[in-house]
Amino acid sequence: MDKITPRNNQILIGHDTAQHILLDAWQSEKLHHAWLITGAYGIGKATLAWRFARFIMNGGNDDGNLFGNEPNSMEIVADNKISHRMAAGGHPDFLCLEKGMFNKANKKIAENDIPVAIIRDALNLIRLTPAEVKWRVIIIDAVDDLNRNAANALLKSLEEPPKNTIFLLISHAVDKLLPTIKSRCRRLNLQILDDDIIIKILQENHPEISIEQASLLAKISDGSIGKSIRLLDAGGIELYGDIISIMQNSGNMDIEKLHKFASSFAKKYASDKFNIFREIIDWWLKRVIKIIAIDDDAAILPVKNNNGDQKISNLLTMEQSLINDLKMRGNLALWLELWENMTNLLAQTDAPYTLDKKQVIISAFMTFNAAMARINMAK
């Protein structure tokens, strides 16, 4: 799916309003120097930022003039030398700052955050006169990843922005940002994508998956195309099936099946799979809580048996039976407590705890099993 990563993706679907806001600002002679692009993870924020950056670096579809004939699109031809150089990190007037960059200060890869040294190097560069075009563009993906010192260093430039410099700041968790950073930016909030859009993108880029698989991925991803791709790449559908299969005998769980499942996360390169597992568990428990809280049967995924994907049909039938059973067990307070206990357990694989993933998964499922067993005994 590399072609639809933000730096390579020429197509943005479902965010026409946001694009028009940026285009209108481009033509207004009042283009703000800093834009805070917010919304859920994976809905197209970075794709929009790269799209606007390519538009600016290519002269705004107007031969480099800022306020000429009004462009009606940010579309840039796919085979474009400037765009290729930007994607490769080789354009002197464009930077994209993100985790995983080389930190010159300690000569290590910055895996966990964006450190102040990387921000300072970028800010020193943009104080120079642009080398090739009128503008410099800085994308920070994501501004949430700045450590405290880096955030304060960025704030100084936002307060006194260098001439002809545009900051495009991406945030998945805007409430956690410094209020002073938020106040210096114009905010552009993107909405989650409709299931139909996610299904369309998935099937265009993965024609081998069925409409039922794409539909299930769209539901689990909660309107995020990025998350749906991660789910697909990490075997999210199979994970989902395993989770439902283990939970279906709630109160009398198949311990052998549970241990076999948990052992698959003990492998050296299973960290992404584990993160997907945590996201699925969190989404599923919240869904059950919603169903119980407001008797929302619409949240139960529909089963389609008319010549569709039989594996998905069987999975959804099994899940529907499980949820119907769980609806009759306990009260809302019990389910909220169960969700909190399970998510807290799974979080104990993160620093500073770093507990064994296999044992944490077993403990989380046994917490669920014990809660259901208590309900059975009470009956």
Side-chain angles (χ1 to χ4, degrees):
M1 301 291 278
D2 185 61
K3 67 180 180 181
I4 66 171
T5 57
R7 68 180 60 239
N8 297 320
N9 187 13
Q10 301 287 336
I11 300 170
L12 182 66
I13 300 174
H15 299 301
D16 292 345
T17 299
Q19 292 191 79
H20 285 307
I21 289 172
L22 290 171
L23 282 171
D24 289 345
W26 177 256
Q27 287 296 322
S28 70
E29 303 188 24
K30 295 179 182 178
L31 183 65
H32 201 282
H33 69 279
W35 292 79
L36 182 59
I37 306 174
T38 65
Y41 169 83
I43 59 175
K45 300 186 300 298
T47 298
L48 175 63
W50 275 86
R51 188 173 175 83
F52 192 42
R54 285 192 291 264
F55 174 82
I56 295 172
M57 290 291 98
N58 280 277
N61 279 352
D62 192 35
D63 298 325
N65 297 318
L66 177 57
F67 307 118
N69 297 325
E70 181 176 354
N72 56 19
S73 167
M74 293 183 197
E75 196 71 35
I76 301 295
V77 293
D79 189 17
N80 178 286
K81 291 181 179 179
I82 291 176
S83 300
H84 286 315
R85 289 170 60 201
M86 291 170 65
H91 197 297
D93 298 321
F94 169 78
L95 291 171
C96 180
L97 310 181
E98 55 195 344
K99 286 194 298 187
M101 297 181 69
F102 181 71
N103 182 1
K104 294 179 182 177
N106 61 8
K107 296 181 172 55
K108 294 181 179 179
I109 299 298
E111 295 180 350
N112 300 317
D113 59 17
I114 302 176
V116 65
I118 287 176
I119 292 295
R120 285 175 176 161
D121 283 347
L123 298 180
N124 287 335
L125 179 64
I126 64 175
R127 290 189 181 98
L128 304 174
T129 303
E132 295 185 11
V133 297
K134 182 178 179 180
W135 295 86
R136 288 192 188 275
V137 178
I138 309 294
I139 294 176
I140 302 183
D141 184 13
V143 69
D144 317 323
D145 296 326
L146 298 177
N147 65 28
R148 175 66 66 168
N149 290 335
N152 287 327
L154 173 66
L155 179 59
K156 292 179 182 178
S157 285
L158 296 180
E159 290 172 339
E160 300 177 8
K163 186 178 179 182
N164 289 355
T165 298
I166 304 296
F167 291 92
L168 302 175
L169 311 181
I170 297 161
S171 176
H172 314 305
V174 68
D175 292 339
K176 296 180 181 179
L177 296 183
L178 292 175
T180 42
I181 285 182
K182 290 188 281 188
S183 68
R184 300 299 188 275
C185 301
R186 181 172 174 184
R187 184 169 171 180
L188 190 59
N189 188 53
L190 303 195
Q191 302 301 313
I192 61 173
L193 300 171
D194 292 337
D195 286 358
D196 289 345
I197 292 175
I198 294 178
I199 292 168
K200 180 176 183 291
I201 296 173
L202 284 174
Q203 290 206 295
E204 284 179 350
N205 289 278
H206 272 278
E208 73 278 6
I209 69 173
S210 68
I211 183 70
E212 291 82 6
Q213 288 176 309
S215 298
L216 180 56
L217 290 168
K219 291 294 184 186
I220 301 174
S221 67
D222 267 342
S224 165
I225 182 60
K227 187 174 177 180
S228 69
I229 293 168
R230 287 179 60 235
L231 283 163
L232 181 60
D233 289 345
I237 292 176
E238 291 77 13
L239 270 177
Y240 192 57
D242 289 338
I243 291 168
I244 300 303
S245 177
I246 291 169
M247 285 183 166
Q248 67 175 330
N249 294 317
S250 51
N252 187 26
M253 197 166 284
D254 186 332
I255 302 303
E256 183 178 349
K257 182 185 289 187
L258 171 58
H259 275 262
K260 183 178 179 181
F261 174 73
S263 294
S264 68
F265 293 87
K267 297 176 182 178
K268 185 176 180 180
Y269 300 106
S271 58
D272 192 47
K273 180 181 177 181
F274 179 76
N275 290 333
I276 291 291
F277 165 75
R278 282 174 59 176
E279 291 175 12
I280 292 174
I281 284 287
D282 182 67
W283 172 81
W284 191 81
L285 288 172
K286 286 178 179 176
R287 221 172 106 242
V288 172
I289 289 169
K290 181 181 178 183
I291 291 169
I292 292 171
I294 61 175
D295 199 23
D296 183 14
D297 286 339
I300 299 177
L301 304 183
V303 179
K304 297 179 180 179
N305 294 306
N306 51 341
N307 300 319
D309 188 321
Q310 195 59 47
K311 286 185 178 180
I312 298 297
S313 177
N314 292 342
L315 168 57
L316 295 183
T317 299
M318 181 168 57
E319 187 205 44
Q320 192 174 93
S321 175
L322 171 61
I323 290 181
N324 286 333
D325 181 43
L326 296 178
K327 282 174 64 178
M328 299 183 289
R329 297 171 183 260
N331 54 34
L332 183 58
L334 180 144
W335 279 97
L336 289 169
E337 180 185 355
L338 180 60
W339 168 74
E340 183 177 9
N341 289 340
M342 288 187 70
T343 52
N344 285 342
L345 268 170
L346 294 172
Q348 290 183 28
T349 57
D350 298 333
Y353 303 103
T354 61
L355 298 183
D356 178 70
K357 292 182 176 65
K358 176 182 175 179
Q359 291 306 317
V360 166
I361 288 172
I362 292 172
S363 296
F365 275 110
M366 292 307 294
T367 297
F368 176 86
N369 190 59
M372 297 303 105
R374 287 199 306 272
I375 295 170
N376 290 343
M377 290 178 65
K379 290 182 178 181

